[in-house]
């Protein structure tokens, strides 16, 4: 082939590699939230109301648990069941997998982001930790693996 033509062609990346890069970026964002929590200090004169903190913790906990359940249901509905039914082909499977992966990663990050918002509204260093932990564990569970995808277009 002509080298000049090769330069103008976009590099073909493995969809799994791209998905793993996106996963790593989301993982770094969670570590950024945790780091900022320990770096940002309470401004002078700031007083968080105990009632406000309780409302935030309760609300964020309910939403986080909902997100946790929805994440696994969406993965089944958007990818795995579609493939089992034959709705996905070898050509469409990589894009479908990337889509469900990105949505799942965003949901895990949202849980961790609730922890960061909780810290910024209360400056309590302990209250956000369960949200960071849950978001991190969920994201680690969602690491893109090759095994379930073999024979599905990757």
């Amino acid at each position: 082939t002509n080298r000049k033509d090769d330069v103008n062609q976009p590099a073909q990346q493995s969809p799994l590699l791209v998905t793993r890069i996106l996963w790593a970026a989301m993982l770094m964002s969670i570590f950024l939230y945790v780091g900022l929590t320990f770096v940002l200090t309470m401004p002078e004169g700031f007083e968080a109301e105990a009632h406000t903190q309780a409302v935030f913790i309760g609300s964020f906990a309910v939403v986080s648990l909902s997100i946790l359940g929805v994440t696994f249901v969406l993965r089944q509905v958007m990818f795995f069941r579609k493939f089992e039914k034959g709705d996905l082909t070898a050509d469409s499977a990589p894009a479908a997998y990337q889509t469900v992966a990105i949505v799942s990663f965003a949901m895990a990050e949202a849980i961790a982001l609730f922890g960061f918002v909780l810290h910024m509204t209360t400056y309590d260093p302990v209250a956000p930790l369960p949200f960071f932990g849950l978001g991190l564990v969920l994201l680690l569970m969602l690491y893109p693996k090759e095994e379930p995808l073999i024979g599905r277009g990757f």
Side-chain angles (χ1 to χ4, degrees):
T1 63
N2 187 344
R3 285 192 86 143
K4 186 176 181 182
D5 291 337
D6 290 343
V7 172
N8 294 326
Q9 296 298 321
Q12 290 293 328
Q13 295 290 332
S14 159
L16 187 59
L17 176 63
V18 172
T19 305
R20 286 179 176 167
I21 291 169
L22 292 170
W23 176 88
M26 296 297 231
L27 182 66
M28 291 300 108
S29 71
I30 291 177
F31 286 124
L32 177 67
Y33 301 147
V34 172
L36 286 173
T37 297
F38 291 105
V39 171
L40 298 174
T41 58
M42 186 182 318
E44 276 188 47
F46 180 86
E47 291 183 33
E49 297 179 21
H51 173 73
T52 303
Q53 184 174 355
V55 168
F56 275 124
I57 290 173
S59 301
F60 289 167
V62 168
V63 174
S64 294
L65 292 174
S66 299
I67 287 173
L68 185 64
V70 166
T71 299
F72 290 105
V73 170
L74 278 179
R75 290 176 65 80
Q76 288 296 318
V77 170
M78 290 176 66
F79 182 75
F80 294 104
R81 285 188 188 159
K82 280 187 173 185
F83 196 85
E84 289 167 4
K85 289 180 181 178
D87 293 343
L88 295 176
T89 64
D91 292 335
S92 65
Y97 181 75
Q98 282 184 322
T99 300
V100 74
I102 291 167
V103 170
S104 300
F105 301 162
M107 290 186 167
E109 185 189 20
I111 294 171
L113 188 57
F114 286 146
F116 184 67
V117 170
L118 183 61
H119 172 71
M120 293 303 297
T121 56
T122 65
Y123 288 94
D124 181 342
V126 177
L129 296 180
F131 297 97
F132 293 148
L134 184 60
L136 179 63
V137 167
L138 178 58
L139 193 61
L140 291 173
M141 290 173 60
L142 296 171
Y143 179 76
K145 297 180 186 104
E146 194 170 5
E147 293 83 27
L149 306 173
I150 293 173
R152 294 184 180 188
F154 280 89

